[in-house]
Amino acid sequence: MIDLVATARSLFAPGKGILAADESVHTATARLASYGVEAGEEMRRQYRDLFLGAPGIEQYLSGVILFSETLLEKGNDTKPFPVSLASRGILPGIKVDLGTEPFPASPQELITQGLLDLPVRLAEYKKRGAVFTKWRAVVRIDGDQLPTALATHENAKRLASYAKEVQMAGLVPILEPEVLYKGAQSRQRARAVISQTLGTLFSVLKEQAVDSASIVLKTSMALSGDASGKKDTPEEVAEDTLAALVESVPRQVAGIVFLSGGQTPDQATENLAAITKRAALVRAPWPLTFSYARALQEEALSIWKGKEENVPAAREAFLSRLAKVSAAL
Ligand code: 13P
Protein backbone atom coordinates (compact mmCIF):
# COMPACT_ATOMS: atom_id res chain seq x y z
CA MET A 1 0.00 0.00 0.00
CA ILE A 2 1.49 3.36 -1.03
CA ASP A 3 1.48 5.97 1.72
CA LEU A 4 -0.05 8.90 -0.16
CA VAL A 5 0.18 11.27 2.80
CA ALA A 6 3.92 10.60 3.13
CA THR A 7 4.43 11.12 -0.62
CA ALA A 8 2.45 14.37 -0.52
CA ARG A 9 4.38 15.59 2.51
CA SER A 10 7.72 14.77 0.92
CA LEU A 11 7.03 17.42 -1.72
CA PHE A 12 7.50 19.91 1.14
CA ALA A 13 11.02 18.82 2.16
CA PRO A 14 12.86 21.76 3.77
CA GLY A 15 14.22 24.25 1.22
CA LYS A 16 12.67 22.36 -1.70
CA GLY A 17 9.78 22.90 -4.08
CA ILE A 18 8.38 21.89 -7.44
CA LEU A 19 9.35 22.80 -10.99
CA ALA A 20 6.27 22.89 -13.23
CA ALA A 21 7.66 21.65 -16.55
CA ASP A 22 4.28 20.50 -17.83
CA GLU A 23 3.58 22.99 -20.59
CA SER A 24 1.45 21.32 -23.25
CA VAL A 25 2.88 21.01 -26.77
CA HIS A 26 0.86 24.08 -27.74
CA THR A 27 2.06 26.19 -24.78
CA ALA A 28 5.69 24.99 -25.05
CA THR A 29 5.73 25.85 -28.75
CA ALA A 30 4.35 29.34 -28.11
CA ARG A 31 6.68 29.88 -25.13
CA LEU A 32 9.77 28.87 -27.10
CA ALA A 33 8.69 30.96 -30.10
CA SER A 34 8.58 34.00 -27.79
CA TYR A 35 12.33 33.43 -27.21
CA GLY A 36 12.95 33.04 -30.94
CA VAL A 37 13.18 29.24 -30.83
CA GLU A 38 11.32 27.27 -33.45
CA ALA A 39 10.32 24.08 -31.72
CA GLY A 40 9.58 20.63 -33.10
CA GLU A 41 9.61 17.47 -31.01
CA GLU A 42 13.42 17.24 -30.68
CA MET A 43 13.78 20.91 -29.74
CA ARG A 44 11.08 20.43 -27.09
CA ARG A 45 13.05 17.47 -25.72
CA GLN A 46 16.19 19.61 -25.54
CA TYR A 47 14.16 22.32 -23.81
CA ARG A 48 13.13 19.81 -21.14
CA ASP A 49 16.69 18.49 -20.85
CA LEU A 50 18.00 22.02 -20.28
CA PHE A 51 16.11 22.07 -16.97
CA LEU A 52 15.74 18.42 -15.98
CA GLY A 53 19.33 17.53 -16.86
CA ALA A 54 20.87 20.47 -14.98
CA PRO A 55 23.37 19.15 -12.39
CA GLY A 56 22.48 20.05 -8.81
CA ILE A 57 18.72 20.65 -9.16
CA GLU A 58 18.08 17.98 -6.52
CA GLN A 59 19.31 20.42 -3.89
CA TYR A 60 16.23 22.59 -4.56
CA LEU A 61 13.58 20.38 -6.15
CA SER A 62 11.38 17.83 -4.39
CA GLY A 63 9.35 17.20 -7.53
CA VAL A 64 8.87 18.06 -11.20
CA ILE A 65 5.53 18.12 -13.02
CA LEU A 66 5.97 16.68 -16.50
CA PHE A 67 3.81 16.78 -19.62
CA SER A 68 2.84 13.37 -21.05
CA GLU A 69 5.21 13.77 -24.02
CA THR A 70 8.20 14.24 -21.68
CA LEU A 71 7.24 11.31 -19.44
CA LEU A 72 7.94 9.01 -22.41
CA GLU A 73 11.18 10.67 -23.55
CA LYS A 74 14.83 10.22 -22.62
CA GLY A 75 17.24 12.91 -21.48
CA ASN A 76 20.69 13.45 -22.95
CA ASP A 77 21.93 11.02 -20.26
CA THR A 78 19.95 8.32 -22.21
CA LYS A 79 17.69 7.61 -19.20
CA PRO A 80 13.93 8.17 -19.37
CA PHE A 81 13.26 11.57 -17.75
CA PRO A 82 11.19 10.16 -14.84
CA VAL A 83 13.86 7.54 -14.09
CA SER A 84 16.63 10.12 -14.15
CA LEU A 85 14.65 12.42 -11.80
CA ALA A 86 13.83 9.60 -9.39
CA SER A 87 17.51 8.52 -9.30
CA ARG A 88 18.30 12.00 -7.96
CA GLY A 89 15.54 11.85 -5.33
CA ILE A 90 13.14 14.11 -7.27
CA LEU A 91 9.55 12.88 -7.46
CA PRO A 92 8.17 12.75 -11.01
CA GLY A 93 4.63 14.09 -11.46
CA ILE A 94 2.37 14.41 -14.47
CA LYS A 95 -0.20 16.90 -15.72
CA VAL A 96 -3.32 14.83 -16.40
CA ASP A 97 -5.97 17.33 -17.44
CA LEU A 98 -6.47 17.79 -21.18
CA GLY A 99 -6.81 21.56 -21.18
CA THR A 100 -9.87 23.79 -21.11
CA GLU A 101 -12.96 24.47 -23.21
CA PRO A 102 -15.66 27.16 -22.99
CA PHE A 103 -18.32 26.40 -20.38
CA PRO A 104 -21.59 26.07 -22.32
CA ALA A 105 -23.66 27.71 -19.54
CA SER A 106 -21.32 30.75 -19.46
CA PRO A 107 -19.17 30.72 -22.60
CA GLN A 108 -16.73 33.41 -21.43
CA GLU A 109 -15.54 31.01 -18.75
CA LEU A 110 -13.49 27.85 -19.09
CA ILE A 111 -13.94 24.35 -17.74
CA THR A 112 -11.28 21.70 -17.69
CA GLN A 113 -11.51 18.45 -19.62
CA GLY A 114 -9.90 15.03 -19.19
CA LEU A 115 -12.05 12.88 -16.90
CA LEU A 116 -13.33 10.41 -19.47
CA ASP A 117 -10.32 8.17 -19.99
CA LEU A 118 -8.50 9.24 -16.83
CA PRO A 119 -8.25 5.82 -15.08
CA VAL A 120 -6.61 4.26 -18.15
CA ARG A 121 -4.14 7.11 -18.50
CA LEU A 122 -3.32 7.06 -14.77
CA ALA A 123 -2.38 3.37 -14.92
CA GLU A 124 -0.02 4.10 -17.82
CA TYR A 125 1.54 7.19 -16.13
CA LYS A 126 2.09 5.21 -12.95
CA LYS A 127 3.84 2.45 -14.88
CA ARG A 128 6.17 5.10 -16.31
CA GLY A 129 7.12 6.31 -12.83
CA ALA A 130 4.75 9.19 -12.00
CA VAL A 131 3.87 9.38 -8.29
CA PHE A 132 1.79 12.54 -8.30
CA THR A 133 -0.48 14.39 -10.73
CA LYS A 134 -1.84 17.85 -11.49
CA TRP A 135 -5.19 19.13 -12.76
CA ARG A 136 -5.58 22.83 -13.57
CA ALA A 137 -8.83 24.77 -13.61
CA VAL A 138 -8.85 28.38 -14.82
CA VAL A 139 -10.75 31.17 -13.09
CA ARG A 140 -11.08 34.50 -14.87
CA ILE A 141 -12.06 37.63 -12.98
CA ASP A 142 -14.13 40.26 -14.77
CA GLY A 143 -15.49 42.94 -12.48
CA ASP A 144 -18.33 41.55 -10.37
CA GLN A 145 -19.57 39.45 -13.30
CA LEU A 146 -16.97 36.69 -13.43
CA PRO A 147 -16.43 34.12 -12.13
CA THR A 148 -20.02 32.83 -11.93
CA ALA A 149 -21.05 30.50 -9.12
CA LEU A 150 -22.05 27.94 -11.75
CA ALA A 151 -18.61 27.75 -13.37
CA THR A 152 -16.89 27.74 -9.97
CA HIS A 153 -19.03 24.79 -8.96
CA GLU A 154 -18.53 22.88 -12.22
CA ASN A 155 -14.73 23.23 -12.00
CA ALA A 156 -14.83 22.18 -8.32
CA LYS A 157 -16.84 19.05 -9.19
CA ARG A 158 -14.33 18.10 -11.87
CA LEU A 159 -11.38 18.71 -9.54
CA ALA A 160 -13.05 16.48 -6.94
CA SER A 161 -13.72 13.66 -9.45
CA TYR A 162 -10.12 13.92 -10.63
CA ALA A 163 -8.77 13.80 -7.07
CA LYS A 164 -10.82 10.71 -6.27
CA GLU A 165 -9.68 8.83 -9.37
CA VAL A 166 -6.06 9.73 -8.71
CA GLN A 167 -6.16 8.61 -5.07
CA MET A 168 -7.83 5.37 -6.14
CA ALA A 169 -4.99 4.81 -8.60
CA GLY A 170 -2.46 5.26 -5.75
CA LEU A 171 -1.12 8.67 -6.78
CA VAL A 172 -1.13 12.07 -5.05
CA PRO A 173 -3.34 14.72 -6.66
CA ILE A 174 -2.37 18.39 -6.91
CA LEU A 175 -5.51 20.48 -7.34
CA GLU A 176 -4.87 23.77 -9.12
CA PRO A 177 -7.73 26.22 -9.43
CA GLU A 178 -5.70 29.08 -10.96
CA VAL A 179 -7.24 32.51 -10.43
CA LEU A 180 -5.78 34.49 -13.32
CA TYR A 181 -3.72 37.54 -12.63
CA LYS A 182 -4.77 39.07 -15.99
CA GLY A 183 -7.23 41.94 -15.69
CA ALA A 184 -7.91 45.23 -13.94
CA GLN A 185 -9.17 43.79 -10.65
CA SER A 186 -7.96 44.97 -7.25
CA ARG A 187 -5.97 42.74 -4.94
CA GLN A 188 -8.96 42.70 -2.58
CA ARG A 189 -11.16 41.33 -5.37
CA ALA A 190 -8.54 38.68 -6.19
CA ARG A 191 -8.43 37.71 -2.53
CA ALA A 192 -12.24 37.36 -2.41
CA VAL A 193 -12.31 35.26 -5.59
CA ILE A 194 -9.52 32.97 -4.31
CA SER A 195 -11.41 32.53 -1.07
CA GLN A 196 -14.75 31.80 -2.80
CA THR A 197 -13.14 29.42 -5.28
CA LEU A 198 -11.40 27.46 -2.54
CA GLY A 199 -14.46 27.55 -0.27
CA THR A 200 -16.55 25.94 -3.02
CA LEU A 201 -13.79 23.47 -3.87
CA PHE A 202 -13.36 22.22 -0.31
CA SER A 203 -17.09 21.90 0.28
CA VAL A 204 -17.42 19.77 -2.88
CA LEU A 205 -14.38 17.69 -1.85
CA LYS A 206 -16.06 17.04 1.48
CA GLU A 207 -19.38 16.08 -0.16
CA GLN A 208 -17.53 13.64 -2.38
CA ALA A 209 -15.51 12.25 0.54
CA VAL A 210 -12.11 13.01 -0.98
CA ASP A 211 -9.31 12.42 1.55
CA SER A 212 -7.88 15.90 2.03
CA ALA A 213 -4.82 14.70 4.00
CA SER A 214 -3.26 13.40 0.79
CA ILE A 215 -4.07 16.27 -1.52
CA VAL A 216 -1.87 19.23 -2.37
CA LEU A 217 -3.47 22.56 -3.23
CA LYS A 218 -1.84 24.70 -5.90
CA THR A 219 -3.03 28.29 -5.71
CA SER A 220 -2.48 31.77 -7.04
CA MET A 221 -1.31 34.57 -4.79
CA ALA A 222 -3.72 37.46 -4.13
CA LEU A 223 -2.40 40.11 -6.52
CA SER A 224 -3.77 43.24 -8.15
CA GLY A 225 -4.54 42.44 -11.80
CA ASP A 226 -1.79 43.11 -14.35
CA ALA A 227 -3.92 45.86 -15.97
CA SER A 228 -4.85 47.55 -12.67
CA GLY A 229 -1.85 49.89 -12.68
CA LYS A 230 -1.23 48.93 -9.05
CA LYS A 231 1.94 47.30 -7.76
CA ASP A 232 1.46 45.42 -4.50
CA THR A 233 4.12 45.23 -1.83
CA PRO A 234 5.16 41.69 -0.82
CA GLU A 235 3.67 42.32 2.64
CA GLU A 236 0.29 43.23 1.11
CA VAL A 237 0.36 40.12 -1.05
CA ALA A 238 1.29 37.96 1.94
CA GLU A 239 -1.46 39.37 4.13
CA ASP A 240 -4.25 38.92 1.57
CA THR A 241 -3.03 35.57 0.28
CA LEU A 242 -2.84 34.04 3.75
CA ALA A 243 -6.16 35.58 4.76
CA ALA A 244 -7.84 33.89 1.77
CA LEU A 245 -6.18 30.55 2.55
CA VAL A 246 -6.89 30.61 6.29
CA GLU A 247 -10.56 31.34 5.51
CA SER A 248 -11.07 28.45 3.17
CA VAL A 249 -8.45 25.66 3.33
CA PRO A 250 -8.83 22.87 5.93
CA ARG A 251 -5.82 22.34 8.15
CA GLN A 252 -5.39 18.65 7.26
CA VAL A 253 -4.47 19.37 3.60
CA ALA A 254 -0.93 17.98 3.02
CA GLY A 255 0.39 21.33 1.87
CA ILE A 256 -0.05 24.34 -0.38
CA VAL A 257 2.10 25.27 -3.38
CA PHE A 258 2.05 28.55 -5.29
CA LEU A 259 2.08 29.15 -9.03
CA SER A 260 3.93 32.18 -10.41
CA GLY A 261 1.15 33.21 -12.81
CA GLY A 262 3.09 35.70 -14.94
CA GLN A 263 4.92 37.51 -12.12
CA THR A 264 8.56 38.31 -12.83
CA PRO A 265 11.07 35.91 -11.25
CA ASP A 266 12.00 38.54 -8.63
CA GLN A 267 8.36 39.32 -7.81
CA ALA A 268 7.48 35.62 -7.43
CA THR A 269 10.52 35.16 -5.18
CA GLU A 270 9.91 38.24 -3.00
CA ASN A 271 6.20 37.53 -2.62
CA LEU A 272 6.92 33.93 -1.63
CA ALA A 273 9.44 35.12 0.98
CA ALA A 274 6.85 37.48 2.48
CA ILE A 275 4.19 34.75 2.47
CA THR A 276 6.36 32.17 4.25
CA LYS A 277 7.50 34.78 6.78
CA ARG A 278 3.93 35.76 7.57
CA ALA A 279 2.77 32.12 7.60
CA ALA A 280 5.24 31.43 10.43
CA LEU A 281 4.03 34.52 12.28
CA VAL A 282 0.32 33.61 12.06
CA ARG A 283 1.10 29.89 12.55
CA ALA A 284 -0.50 28.79 9.29
CA PRO A 285 -1.18 25.05 9.63
CA TRP A 286 0.14 23.78 6.28
CA PRO A 287 3.62 23.48 4.79
CA LEU A 288 4.10 25.88 1.87
CA THR A 289 6.37 25.87 -1.16
CA PHE A 290 6.65 26.93 -4.80
CA SER A 291 5.47 25.14 -7.93
CA TYR A 292 6.62 27.61 -10.58
CA ALA A 293 6.96 27.29 -14.33
CA ARG A 294 7.63 30.72 -15.80
CA ALA A 295 9.36 32.33 -12.81
CA LEU A 296 11.91 29.49 -12.71
CA GLN A 297 12.44 29.14 -16.45
CA GLU A 298 12.33 32.67 -17.83
CA GLU A 299 15.91 33.80 -17.17
CA ALA A 300 17.41 30.54 -18.43
CA LEU A 301 15.29 30.59 -21.60
CA SER A 302 16.38 34.10 -22.49
CA ILE A 303 20.02 32.94 -22.36
CA TRP A 304 19.55 29.53 -24.01
CA LYS A 305 17.78 30.55 -27.24
CA GLY A 306 17.83 26.91 -28.39
CA LYS A 307 21.63 26.83 -28.73
CA GLU A 308 23.84 24.04 -27.37
CA GLU A 309 26.69 26.44 -26.55
CA ASN A 310 24.40 28.45 -24.26
CA VAL A 311 23.36 25.48 -22.11
CA PRO A 312 25.95 25.96 -19.30
CA ALA A 313 25.16 29.67 -18.85
CA ALA A 314 21.40 29.04 -19.04
CA ARG A 315 21.65 26.27 -16.43
CA GLU A 316 23.69 28.56 -14.20
CA ALA A 317 20.88 31.15 -14.35
CA PHE A 318 18.31 28.44 -13.57
CA LEU A 319 20.29 27.17 -10.55
CA SER A 320 20.79 30.70 -9.31
CA ARG A 321 17.03 31.37 -9.46
CA LEU A 322 16.32 28.05 -7.74
CA ALA A 323 18.70 29.02 -4.94
CA LYS A 324 16.88 32.36 -4.49
CA VAL A 325 13.41 30.81 -4.49
CA SER A 326 14.57 28.10 -2.07
CA ALA A 327 15.94 30.80 0.23
CA ALA A 328 12.44 32.35 0.25
CA LEU A 329 11.01 29.27 2.00
P1 13P B 1 3.40 29.45 -13.75
O1 13P B 1 4.30 29.38 -12.54
O2 13P B 1 4.09 29.89 -14.99
O3 13P B 1 2.14 30.20 -13.47
O4 13P B 1 2.96 27.97 -14.07
C1 13P B 1 2.56 27.13 -13.05
C2 13P B 1 1.60 26.12 -13.57
O5 13P B 1 1.75 24.95 -13.31
C3 13P B 1 0.45 26.59 -14.37
O6 13P B 1 -0.43 25.55 -14.59
Side-chain angles (χ1 to χ4, degrees):
M1 189 60 191
I2 307 156
D3 186 345
L4 293 185
V5 177
T7 304
R9 289 269 170 176
S10 67
L11 290 168
F12 297 87
K16 295 187 185 181
I18 299 172
L19 168 67
D22 61 335
E23 297 83 0
S24 63
V25 169
H26 178 79
T27 303
T29 306
R31 182 84 33 90
L32 291 175
S34 73
Y35 292 93
V37 181
E38 202 184 309
E41 196 178 331
E42 172 53 19
M43 189 52 97
R44 284 196 301 275
R45 196 197 60 78
Q46 287 181 35
Y47 156 55
R48 302 309 189 182
D49 193 76
L50 173 69
F51 294 100
L52 308 182
I57 55 173
E58 61 277 11
Q59 193 185 336
Y60 307 111
L61 294 179
S62 55
V64 174
I65 314 172
L66 302 168
F67 186 63
S68 49
E69 179 180 63
T70 316
L71 190 74
L72 306 177
E73 288 173 336
K74 292 187 171 115
N76 292 349
D77 64 359
T78 73
K79 291 186 202 162
F81 281 118
V83 172
S84 156
L85 290 170
S87 75
R88 286 173 283 160
I90 302 171
L91 298 180
I94 176 88
K95 170 188 172 77
V96 305
D97 67 74
L98 298 177
T100 57
E101 63 184 355
F103 181 36
S106 171
Q108 287 174 293
E109 295 179 279
L110 297 170
I111 42 167
T112 304
Q113 329 172 56
L115 287 172
L116 273 186
D117 60 343
L118 186 58
V120 179
R121 291 190 290 122
L122 289 175
E124 176 64 20
Y125 298 150
K126 196 176 174 186
K127 213 163 66 194
R128 300 279 181 170
V131 298
F132 72 98
T133 65
K134 184 191 101 173
W135 178 283
R136 174 175 178 257
V138 179
V139 181
R140 206 182 117 212
I141 303 179
D142 187 4
D144 293 336
Q145 304 301 305
L146 299 184
T148 63
L150 212 56
T152 304
H153 198 251
E154 183 59 31
N155 269 318
K157 278 198 315 202
R158 292 177 184 218
L159 278 159
S161 303
Y162 144 78
K164 249 196 145 134
E165 291 289 357
V166 169
Q167 288 174 337
M168 259 178 341
L171 298 156
V172 169
I174 297 184
L175 285 68
E176 181 186 19
E178 175 174 358
V179 174
L180 297 179
Y181 163 46
K182 270 202 161 339
Q185 64 275 7
S186 65
R187 187 181 68 255
Q188 290 75 10
R189 172 77 175 134
R191 164 189 161 161
V193 171
I194 292 172
S195 183
Q196 282 158 14
T197 303
L198 297 180
T200 302
L201 175 61
F202 283 100
S203 85
V204 174
L205 290 174
K206 197 166 167 205
E207 270 163 36
Q208 298 203 15
V210 174
D211 171 29
S212 42
S214 60
I215 67 167
V216 172
L217 173 69
K218 178 160 175 167
T219 183
S220 308
M221 299 175 187
L223 301 170
S224 301
D226 64 354
S228 66
K230 169 95 175 51
K231 195 168 175 320
D232 311 302
T233 66
E235 290 69 30
E236 289 169 336
V237 173
E239 189 178 337
D240 281 331
T241 301
L242 281 164
L245 297 176
V246 167
E247 260 162 40
S248 47
V249 183
R251 55 186 313 120
Q252 63 268 26
V253 163
I256 301 177
V257 299
F258 294 95
L259 58 97
S260 61
Q263 301 178 71
T264 65
D266 279 338
Q267 233 184 333
T269 307
E270 287 158 20
N271 286 337
L272 181 67
I275 289 172
T276 56
K277 189 170 163 203
R278 187 170 173 85
L281 202 74
V282 303
R283 298 180 194 274
W286 337 266
L288 305 174
T289 192
F290 58 89
S291 174
Y292 294 164
R294 282 165 285 179
L296 286 176
Q297 297 181 29
E298 215 170 278
E299 293 152 312
L301 286 177
S302 65
I303 295 171
W304 179 51
K305 301 197 185 74
K307 296 202 169 75
E308 179 67 38
E309 65 267 28
N310 296 333
V311 168
R315 283 180 169 169
E316 199 180 312
F318 175 45
L319 265 291
S320 150
R321 177 53 58 184
L322 276 173
K324 290 180 195 161
V325 177
S326 159
L329 294 175

